Amino acid sequence: MQHTLTFTKDKQKYISKPFDFEAMCIINDAHNDDKKNGPLNICREAVDYMFEGTEATQDIIDSLDIGERAKMCIELWGFYVDALSAKNG
């Protein structure tokens, strides 16, 4: 199953590239960083990574309100936990 993130801004729908090993590593590194707490801080860089090379430029992502970014971070955290569970299952 391909996990992707989506958001709509100015009536345009943006879809990320699929969750992959690199996204998992970005989250894992942040998760192991004692200075980062909570899914929003842990997944912030991974959200940016997920949209690299898509129509959603960094300015568009940066212009999203905190609620939309938080929703995507929590969704990404879920992908990460699912991937860990599948690997360890």
Side-chain angles (χ1 to χ4, degrees), residues 26-34 36 42 77 80 84:
I26 292 168
I27 295 169
N28 194 59
D29 289 349
H31 187 231
N32 290 320
D33 182 342
D34 293 337
K36 295 187 178 173
I42 291 171
W77 179 254
Y80 173 72
L84 285 180

Side-chain angles (χ1 to χ4, degrees), residues 5-53:
L5 299 173
T6 61
F7 68 90
T8 302
K9 178 153 177 77
D10 300 327
K11 298 180 183 167
Q12 169 77 34
K13 184 174 182 177
Y14 296 95
I15 302 171
S16 74
K17 58 189 173 188
F19 181 75
D20 61 11
F21 183 73
E22 181 64 25
M24 189 165 170
C25 289
I26 292 168
I27 295 169
N28 194 59
D29 289 349
H31 187 231
N32 290 320
D33 182 342
D34 293 337
K35 296 178 190 85
K36 295 187 178 173
N37 298 316
L40 188 55
N41 286 323
I42 291 171
C43 297
R44 178 183 308 268
E45 290 173 33
V47 168
D48 292 347
Y49 165 77
M50 291 284 288
F51 286 97
E52 280 177 12

